[in-house]
Amino acid sequence: MSYLHSIGQYFLMIKEIFRKPTKWSVMRRLVFKDIDDLIINSIGIVSFIAFFVGGVVTIQTALNMTNPLIPKTLVGFATRQSVILEFAPTFISIIMAGKVGSFITSSIGTMRVTEQIDALEVMGINAINYLVFPKFIALMLYPFLISIAMFLGILGGMAACVFGGFASLDDYIAGIQMDFIPFHMLYAFIKTFVFAFLLATIPSYHGFYMTGGALEVGKASTTSFVWTSVAIILLNYILTQMMLS
Amino acid sequence: MIEVNDIHKSFGGSEILKGISTTFEKGKTNLVIGQSGSGKTVFLKTLLGLFTPEKGSISYDGRKYSDLSSDEKSELRAEMGMVFQGSALFDSMTIAENVKFPLRMFTKQSKSEMEDRVNFVLKRVNLDDAHNKLPSEASGGMQKRVAIARAIVNKPKYLFCDEPNSGLDPRTATVIDNLIQEITQEYDITTIINTHDMNSVMEIGEKIVFLKDGLKEWEGSNKNIFKTDNEAVTGFVYSSDLFKRVQKMYLEEDL
């Protein structure tokens, strides 16, 4: 029963995000601050993980292709497909649920604990719009981050492939250009937009409606990571079934 | 003036406010006192519109809250200033930005007009050299004064304070009490203060409402609280020997 209540409250919160907007002059600063906190500050970790995991994907693919009849170009092809279809949109989103999600939950949760949200509400401000809408807008730039992850994942794969001696540079480049289906990019970016929405709203929900003190802020951050990850994995399955099968 | 008529409020089947009626007058410092758990904070948050009472009504200068539209409620809330127990300053903003915040949200003033008003208000609370500090860099007393400055910057008609001097040393607590009383008279606003600080009761309690178990047990002023024979009030007020001696001295002087 409490799950149903939470789901209902979550959807009511989403409705509230777009109601009674905050003055644009105030909102603009919040949006830029959230772009900095959520997107720009994540570029480093996303680039690092994408580059090295791309390399690992390549190495493991190459090591599992022992049959000499399989062309070497398949290493590049498999890396591209893995990175574009799953690794960049889904794996990076799970990492972002930990990094960005816990930041959102703890910052909003701390505002709740220290009565800053009450202060906003007393002033007649729609606190949900004020706090969540800028995060929602900032995370609409999330596909930009995922594009970097795609590029660096394939680049990392190329470095691992060439320096590890698994295939030549020409074979790898031929592989990443082989049988390219543009719809796969559309599929990946639709997933990215959906995950961006989840990353903005689920952690905000857990921060906004938390009760208690500092200990509960920590608990809410953990819960928010778990539920954001569950929602990402579930929607990943549903979207893949709908769009690719 | 705020008129409260028979308000009831429950949480999870437990009734916290059991039918409180009273009136808070303009230009006076109205104090709500009572033991911890008596319903003071719920009462104050209900007056602020943060909680909706299940029964009863609250009128602000004749405007019945429950009859107002959503926009009218927002307009009314813009006329309220609140000083929270923990100050509730926005961590990411400087002191000046905290004070400027209501002006940015609710007025169309130019940047220079806003800055003039912020300077004036910060000067009024004796904080004219702390503009660029972050709340975390300010002492408890300074944070309370910033919270008062933020509450009055948009010239509110109603000022609510939840235990404004809790956690402060006696000297700073007196400064805060006097500041709130001066502001109340200067701006002719309706001020309601939640407290269980007996110094505040004695110093600035022009009207006192005593709550017990969600009910109004007694109301009066700091002048006649010494003379009451209500056992719940005397048990609360004279729980320390010091205040028993103060009462004795006061009654002897009166005679």
Side-chain angles (χ1 to χ4, degrees):
Chain A
M1 204 60 190
S2 72
Y3 286 120
L4 282 177
H5 175 260
S6 298
I7 291 168
Q9 199 174 33
Y10 170 73
F11 283 107
L12 286 174
M13 185 198 82
I14 288 170
K15 192 180 124 195
E16 205 65 16
I17 294 173
F18 304 100
R19 207 182 63 82
K20 208 178 146 206
T22 305
K23 261 170 99 170
W24 176 241
S25 58
V26 177
M27 183 57 79
R28 193 178 53 213
R29 284 175 62 173
L30 296 172
V31 169
F32 283 124
K33 187 180 175 300
D34 280 335
I35 288 173
D36 190 42
D37 287 339
L38 307 180
I39 302 292
I40 308 292
N41 285 347
S42 301
I43 290 176
I45 185 74
V46 167
S47 303
F48 177 78
I49 292 171
F51 187 82
F52 284 99
V53 175
V56 170
V57 168
T58 302
I59 293 169
Q60 291 195 351
T61 309
L63 291 175
N64 281 288
M65 290 197 296
T66 49
N67 191 328
L69 294 177
I70 298 175
K72 294 284 184 195
T73 50
L74 217 58
V75 177
F77 174 78
T79 303
R80 185 200 71 202
Q81 291 297 86
S82 310
V83 167
I84 288 178
L85 293 177
E86 278 313 308
F87 166 70
T90 313
F91 189 79
I92 292 290
S93 295
I94 300 285
I95 291 162
M96 290 289 278
K99 187 193 177 289
V100 164
S102 57
F103 170 76
I104 292 174
T105 305
S106 56
S107 58
I108 296 181
T110 305
M111 288 185 75
R112 169 64 74 196
V113 171
T114 55
E115 294 181 309
Q116 291 175 51
I117 292 179
D118 287 345
L120 289 171
E121 286 174 347
V122 165
M123 289 179 205
I125 294 164
N126 176 358
I128 293 178
N129 173 268
Y130 180 85
L131 294 171
V132 187
F133 188 74
K135 290 169 180 53
F136 172 76
I137 296 295
L139 279 164
M140 287 299 106
L141 293 178
Y142 185 52
F144 162 71
L145 205 58
I146 295 301
S147 307
I148 294 174
M150 286 174 179
F151 174 74
L152 289 173
I154 293 170
L155 194 72
M158 188 175 79
C161 185
V162 174
F163 294 121
F166 300 108
S168 67
L169 181 62
D170 288 344
D171 282 342
Y172 186 84
I173 289 174
I176 59 173
Q177 291 174 329
M178 195 168 73
D179 294 336
F180 178 67
I181 302 169
F183 178 72
H184 285 176
M185 289 299 284
L186 179 68
Y187 156 77
F189 282 114
I190 287 174
K191 281 208 305 190
T192 304
F193 272 113
V194 172
F195 297 160
F197 182 78
L198 297 176
L199 284 170
T201 53
I202 296 179
S204 298
Y205 168 80
H206 284 280
F208 195 86
Y209 290 105
M210 64 147 295
T211 51
L215 181 67
E216 282 74 17
V217 175
K219 283 182 184 168
S221 297
T222 312
T223 315
S224 115
F225 170 67
V226 170
W227 283 110
T228 311
S229 306
V230 167
I232 287 171
I233 298 289
L234 267 177
L235 277 165
N236 184 37
Y237 174 78
I238 293 167
L239 287 170
T240 306
Q241 179 72 28
M242 278 169 58
M243 296 178 73
L244 292 187
S245 70
Chain B
M1 179 194 272
I2 299 176
E3 290 161 89
V4 182
N5 184 25
D6 192 31
I7 56 166
H8 292 250
K9 180 68 192 166
S10 303
F11 292 99
S14 163
E15 199 174 22
I16 308 296
L17 304 181
K18 298 171 183 169
I20 298 175
S21 301
T22 190
T23 304
F24 297 111
E25 283 175 39
K26 204 174 165 185
K28 279 189 178 176
T29 42
N30 302 280
L31 267 61
V32 179
I33 63 169
Q35 287 178 323
S36 299
S38 57
K40 296 192 302 289
T41 300
V42 173
F43 182 59
L44 197 74
K45 288 193 172 178
T46 309
L47 294 183
L48 279 159
L50 290 177
F51 297 146
T52 309
E54 284 103 29
K55 202 180 149 197
S57 64
I58 307 167
S59 297
Y60 302 83
D61 291 315
R63 293 170 292 177
K64 201 170 168 186
Y65 191 77
S66 54
D67 291 348
L68 300 178
S69 67
S70 178
D71 287 343
E72 285 169 334
K73 280 178 184 168
S74 294
E75 280 169 24
L76 176 64
R77 280 186 174 179
E79 294 173 4
M80 295 176 177
M82 171 74 185
V83 179
F84 285 88
Q85 191 175 357
S87 301
L89 301 177
F90 301 119
D91 301 328
S92 55
M93 299 180 193
T94 63
I95 283 174
E97 283 169 344
N98 262 284
V99 177
K100 198 194 282 178
F101 185 75
L103 299 178
R104 285 174 59 213
M105 291 300 291
F106 300 111
T107 67
K108 288 178 181 168
Q109 292 180 9
S110 68
K111 212 173 169 184
S112 62
E113 282 172 329
M114 279 192 241
E115 267 161 25
D116 288 347
R117 179 71 185 152
V118 169
N119 291 339
F120 173 78
V121 174
L122 280 175
K123 202 170 178 183
R124 181 69 192 81
V125 297
N126 299 322
L127 275 177
D128 39 3
D129 55 350
H131 286 58
N132 297 320
K133 280 189 178 170
L134 286 169
S136 57
E137 295 166 341
S139 66
M142 278 170 83
Q143 287 186 14
K144 283 280 156 63
R145 281 184 281 160
V146 178
I148 293 170
R150 185 178 68 182
I152 61 167
V153 72
N154 203 17
K155 298 176 184 165
K157 287 184 179 170
Y158 315 98
L159 179 64
F160 300 89
C161 308
D162 190 12
E163 302 194 16
N165 45 22
S166 69
L168 300 178
D169 64 85
R171 191 190 163 112
T172 312
T174 308
V175 169
I176 297 292
D177 280 344
N178 292 337
L179 183 63
I180 293 171
Q181 191 176 37
E182 283 165 23
I183 284 166
T184 302
Q185 288 162 0
E186 203 174 304
Y187 294 98
D188 196 25
I189 55 182
T190 310
T191 297
I192 301 170
I193 305 170
N194 251 4
T195 187
H196 43 220
D197 182 76
M198 288 314 299
N199 285 319
S200 306
V201 172
M202 301 304 178
E203 291 292 328
I204 59 167
E206 290 174 274
K207 170 161 183 176
I208 300 163
V209 175
F210 180 80
L211 298 188
K212 191 187 174 207
D213 299 331
L215 286 164
K216 184 182 78 181
E217 180 73 26
W218 179 87
E219 68 180 351
S221 72
N222 55 359
K223 299 279 180 268
N224 49 31
I225 200 165
F226 288 111
K227 295 171 191 167
T228 179
D229 52 4
N230 184 309
E231 282 181 19
V233 178
T234 51
F236 175 78
V237 175
Y238 307 116
S239 54
S240 78
D241 288 339
L242 175 67
F243 279 104
K244 279 178 191 154
R245 287 203 295 274
V246 171
Q247 182 196 27
K248 202 175 161 192
M249 282 163 59
Y250 184 87
L251 291 175
E252 280 169 4
E253 261 179 38
D254 209 31
L255 285 170

